[in-house]
Amino acid sequence: MSNITVLGIGRLGLGLSLLIEKAGYNVMGIDINEEYVKQLNNKTFKSKEPEYENLLINSKNFRASLNLEEGLEYSDIIFIMVQTPNSGGNKFYDHSIVSNLLQKINEKKVENKHIIIGCTLMPKYIDEVGSFLLSDCKNTTLSYNPEFIAQGEIIKGFLNPDMILIGTNSHDLEEILREIYSKIVKTNPKYCIISPLEAEITKITINGFITTKLSFANMISDVCDTIGANKDKVLDSIGSDSRIGNKYFRPGYSFGGPCFPRDTRALALFVDQNNINNELLLSTSKYNKLHSDFLTQKLLHENKEEYLIENVCYKEDSKIPIIEESAKLQIAKKLVQHGKKVTIKDEIQIINEVKKEYGNMFNYIIV
């Protein structure tokens, strides 16, 4: 097994592809964007994601293609890393892209394949929908292997996992994925081998729990600010209890995005749909917004005519142009609504994204 296929080589899919290639495998990545595929193959693709350009330039056995059939023939191990965007409503995660892809694979009636979905799914998708869409494919498994990785730190995340989550009913695939990851990771992760349904629940639950922890920390942070206590010392002391831990337990602007808020809302929906009270998760999201209001009021008490806000990506100090769920931008907007002038200072790629969404609401300084 030296050939691997990755269907969908956007940010996450490309990172996985390049790391698998570096680990010694031959990798074919499939995408629908002709210009992007051309840039990958001639190694002119530019990215703000750390290590991507270096990995691509030094790759020898990675090739991109537009041809799905070619990708299906290339390997019996096929990762699917397409988008499952937030669609809202009762489904929350939009499975249309991955479902259309599974239907196309089924039309080819492939045999003896292991198909592994790496993008976020709502629980029950694989058992109730995905497996059905592959019903004409003989001896073909459908499994779930999601990642817990932040944009801007994709390579770091792949290399340093605490755990590898594998939702599969195939012992053969379990061993194959263990072998692949053992050649990639720098840590000694725990391998959680469970059913696809259990993995679907686990994925969104981990992010839901982290956001609850972050929201709780921000609530205590706000109390400390209100009464004059040192929030950093208080939270550090609380986190020193091993049952709580210091990781992600510190003052911040919010619990960030885009994955944390999405998965928290998705988990709340799933819990509610199964007749379990989801108020704990709803409160987590609610306090995340209240915390931004609290920080806005702190700034307004400074009574400045103009405010400078820097590093407005959803993740502190990230260079990746993603502003979805950026608490700093929400605070900046609230300041403008209170009649204040606000200048956003950041790198050009992030400023461009802010301009697309907020136009002339702010003044801008390009770093």
Side-chain angles (χ1 to χ4, degrees):
M1 183 208 61
S2 60
N3 291 359
I4 304 287
T5 295
V6 180
L7 307 181
I9 44 175
R11 281 196 185 97
L12 196 60
L14 180 60
L16 177 66
S17 299
L18 294 174
L19 286 175
I20 292 176
E21 188 277 339
K22 186 180 179 183
Y25 296 91
N26 305 313
V27 180
M28 178 179 292
I30 306 298
D31 204 87
I32 61 173
N33 187 321
E34 184 174 358
E35 180 59 29
Y36 177 54
V37 166
K38 187 183 300 183
Q39 290 175 0
L40 291 175
N41 285 331
N42 61 28
K43 300 188 177 183
T44 59
F45 173 67
K46 300 297 181 184
S47 174
K48 288 291 183 180
E49 191 67 51
E51 298 299 318
Y52 271 40
E53 292 180 20
N54 183 53
L55 283 168
L56 178 62
I57 289 172
N58 289 293
S59 65
K60 297 176 182 175
N61 300 300
F62 168 74
R63 181 165 64 89
S65 173
L66 297 165
N67 191 326
L68 173 60
E69 189 167 0
E70 183 181 16
L72 296 176
E73 292 175 354
Y74 186 75
S75 175
D76 292 336
I77 308 300
I78 300 167
F79 287 89
I80 293 180
M81 306 295 288
V82 298
Q83 290 182 321
T84 48
N86 174 13
S87 61
N90 291 330
K91 294 183 179 179
F92 198 85
Y93 278 107
D94 183 356
H95 298 135
S96 60
I97 299 174
V98 67
S99 291
N100 287 336
L101 184 53
L102 291 177
Q103 284 183 315
K104 290 179 181 178
I105 294 172
N106 192 59
E107 289 171 4
K108 304 297 181 184
K109 296 186 178 180
V110 301
E111 297 183 11
N112 306 313
K113 305 288 184 182
H114 288 297
I115 298 174
I116 309 117
I117 297 178
C119 42
T120 303
L121 302 172
M122 287 296 286
K124 300 183 180 180
Y125 175 81
I126 285 182
D127 286 348
E128 295 184 358
V129 180
S131 297
F132 173 74
L133 294 177
L134 291 177
S135 56
D136 294 327
C137 300
K138 294 181 180 178
N139 195 33
T140 293
T141 67
L142 183 63
S143 303
Y144 190 43
N145 175 219
E147 304 296 342
F148 301 87
I149 291 173
Q151 303 281 355
E153 295 184 337
I154 292 177
I155 298 303
K156 179 182 176 181
F158 270 124
L159 295 178
N160 300 281
D162 292 327
M163 53 95 82
I164 305 292
L165 180 60
I166 300 173
T168 187
N169 295 313
S170 167
H171 179 71
D172 289 342
L173 179 64
E174 172 190 339
E175 294 305 313
I176 289 168
L177 290 179
R178 281 180 183 271
E179 179 183 342
I180 292 172
Y181 278 110
S182 69
K183 295 178 180 178
I184 293 176
V185 301
K186 293 181 177 180
T187 54
N188 185 28
K190 176 179 175 63
Y191 286 85
C192 298
I193 314 298
I194 51 183
S195 73
L197 173 61
E198 291 160 348
E200 289 165 339
I201 296 170
T202 300
K203 198 283 180 183
I204 58 175
T205 298
I206 286 176
N207 283 349
F209 188 89
I210 293 171
T211 56
T212 302
K213 184 176 180 178
L214 288 164
S215 212
F216 192 94
N218 284 332
M219 179 182 69
I220 301 305
S221 168
D222 293 345
V223 170
C224 290
D225 282 346
T226 300
I227 66 173
N230 187 313
K231 60 190 176 187
D232 295 293
K233 289 182 178 179
V234 169
L235 291 173
D236 183 64
S237 299
I238 296 169
S240 296
D241 188 312
S242 62
R243 293 169 298 177
I244 298 170
N246 289 112
K247 193 172 185 179
Y248 288 103
F249 200 73
R250 59 182 184 273
Y253 279 89
S254 72
F255 54 49
C259 293
F260 278 171
R262 285 182 193 169
D263 281 3
T264 300
R265 291 192 288 267
L267 180 59
L269 177 63
F270 172 67
V271 169
D272 182 64
Q273 287 174 338
N274 288 279
N275 301 312
I276 302 298
N277 190 298
N278 65 356
E279 289 182 13
L280 181 61
L281 292 161
L282 296 179
S283 297
T284 293
S285 293
K286 181 179 179 180
Y287 197 82
N288 188 50
K289 295 177 182 177
L290 292 173
H291 179 60
S292 291
D293 293 338
F294 179 87
L295 295 178
T296 302
Q297 289 302 317
K298 278 185 66 178
L299 290 172
L300 287 171
H301 285 153
E302 296 177 8
N303 200 28
K304 297 180 180 178
E305 287 299 314
E306 184 168 1
Y307 293 83
L308 177 67
I309 297 183
E310 305 179 65
N311 300 317
V312 297
C313 175
Y314 81 91
K315 184 178 177 65
E316 194 84 28
D317 297 324
S318 176
K319 311 301 181 186
I320 304 303
I322 300 176
I323 60 170
E324 184 180 351
E325 300 284 350
S326 166
K328 285 188 176 181
L329 285 175
Q330 289 302 311
I331 292 168
K333 181 180 177 181
K334 293 176 192 294
L335 290 173
V336 171
Q337 290 170 341
H338 280 84
K340 304 297 184 179
K341 295 179 181 178
V342 176
T343 297
I344 305 297
K345 182 179 180 181
D346 217 314
E347 294 192 5
I348 181 65
Q349 71 275 7
I350 296 176
I351 290 291
N352 285 339
E353 292 303 308
V354 179
K355 287 180 177 179
K356 290 176 190 175
E357 184 166 340
Y358 294 94
N360 63 0
M361 179 179 290
F362 311 122
N363 296 318
Y364 300 98
I365 296 177
I366 297 172
V367 178

